Amino acid sequence: MKIIKTENYDHMSRIAANYIAAQITLKPDSVLGLATGSSPIGIYKELIRRYQAKDLDFSNVTSINLDEYRGLSPENEQSYRYFMDTNLFSHINIQKNRTFIPNGLEPDPQKACADYDQILEDCGGIDLQLLGLGNNGHIGFNEPADYYEKGTHCVNLTQSTIDANSRFFDSMDQVPRQAYTMGIQSIMKARKILLIISGGKKAEIVKEAFFGPITPKVPASVLQLHNDVTIVADSDALSLLS
Ligand code: F6R
């Protein structure tokens, strides 16, 4: 596990964008696993800037997102499909039909999850998976639990995640209680993992996840077992590491 310390959020975003840009440059038909949330927004801005400067070409890239809220339509501004379209896909030349996100409107969780696992298989696996870290140690929406879920599954979000996500909604009642998320095995199968972490609020969980025991109670701790993980984090997020 390689840890790269950056000065602040913007610096983290530029360094992490370097990794994604290198991946696309070296393998133009890369399959990228992508994430939503506050952490990757700066990276997406940087990738758009590089696309506009003609330094990056997304025309052969496939993207597979980690997760989607159950019950939200693509038009809902809080859906992850909407997030990805507005923060990245609509500004670059990726083929829209090569961008995959779990179908939040599929009412049958078994079908939604099986369909997504099939997409992952059809794409031949993920070359580079971008991850953020939840305040409770979640990756995707794999919440702290007694065991790891392997494939895509429907998850009941924990109160900590509902509280953290409420900042994007007008009221607490509107925050979805369930999501479809890629499982731990699918994430661990990615050939490379790029984890981005910013801010002092994450310092405690960073220490626990990457320097503590490997346990499904801290889902990200499983990344200690992956052989190609790069963490790009700002100095605040790393402040509790010696
Ligand atoms: C988002 C996702 C989540 C976030 C995590 C951190 O697709 O899967 O695991 O990466 O909740 O969120 P932020 O970046 O908002 O702190």
Side-chain angles (χ1 to χ4, degrees):
M1 183 172 279
K2 189 157 92 186
I3 301 185
I4 298 177
K5 185 172 172 175
T6 64
E7 285 168 19
N8 50 37
Y9 178 86
D10 287 345
H11 190 209
M12 173 192 83
S13 302
R14 292 196 305 275
I15 299 292
N18 286 347
Y19 276 82
I20 298 176
Q23 175 68 40
I24 298 169
T25 304
L26 294 172
K27 186 170 185 274
D29 62 348
S30 286
V31 178
L32 301 179
L34 296 179
T36 59
S38 307
S39 306
I41 290 177
I43 298 176
Y44 296 154
K45 284 200 177 118
E46 186 61 22
L47 293 176
I48 293 167
R49 192 190 68 70
R50 294 180 196 197
Y51 163 71
Q52 287 170 344
K54 300 194 171 29
D55 293 341
L56 274 182
D57 174 14
F58 291 83
S59 59
N60 290 309
V61 167
T62 296
S63 73
I64 307 190
N65 265 73
L66 284 163
D67 40 22
E68 178 59 285
Y69 289 119
R70 184 177 180 208
L72 295 198
S73 72
E75 295 76 37
N76 187 309
E77 291 183 16
Q78 305 308 336
S79 74
Y80 285 172
R81 165 54 76 180
Y82 189 92
F83 175 101
M84 289 308 300
D85 284 349
T86 49
N87 284 291
L88 183 64
F89 299 150
S90 301
H91 307 284
I92 57 175
N93 66 336
I94 196 164
Q95 298 176 58
K96 283 284 165 59
N97 62 357
R98 298 301 306 162
T99 66
F100 299 102
I101 297 184
N103 179 3
L105 284 185
E106 172 53 62
D108 174 359
Q110 266 188 330
K111 177 165 172 17
C113 298
D115 286 352
Y116 210 58
D117 283 339
Q118 190 60 53
I119 289 170
L120 275 160
E121 204 180 310
D122 293 346
C123 290
I126 292 168
D127 290 306
L128 177 65
Q129 175 66 56
L130 177 65
L131 293 175
L133 179 66
N135 295 332
N136 60 3
H138 73 212
I139 46 176
F141 272 138
N142 291 275
E143 296 281 48
D146 292 332
Y147 56 90
Y148 292 117
E149 290 269 8
K150 288 190 238 163
T152 305
H153 57 286
C154 181
V155 67
N156 293 321
L157 301 177
T158 60
Q159 195 56 47
S160 141
T161 298
I162 294 166
D163 292 346
N165 292 357
S166 65
R167 67 192 195 277
F168 300 113
F169 292 81
D170 291 336
S171 74
M172 203 64 171
D173 317 338
Q174 290 177 14
V175 188
R177 271 30 184 188
Q178 287 189 313
Y180 295 134
T181 183
M182 229 188 249
I184 291 291
Q185 189 182 46
S186 312
I187 294 173
M188 288 295 282
K189 272 188 181 163
R191 291 168 194 105
K192 289 184 200 146
I193 291 184
L194 175 62
L195 178 62
I196 45 165
I197 317 167
S198 170
K201 267 187 13 193
K202 303 252 173 99
E204 191 65 52
I205 194 68
V206 166
K207 194 173 164 198
E208 232 185 294
F210 306 115
F211 296 89
I214 297 164
T215 163
K217 299 201 185 312
V218 183
S221 63
V222 74
L223 298 175
Q224 293 181 49
L225 297 174
H226 194 284
N227 65 8
D228 196 342
V229 176
T230 302
I231 299 179
V232 183
D234 63 18
S235 49
D236 288 344
L238 299 180
S239 58
L240 293 182
L241 306 186
S242 49

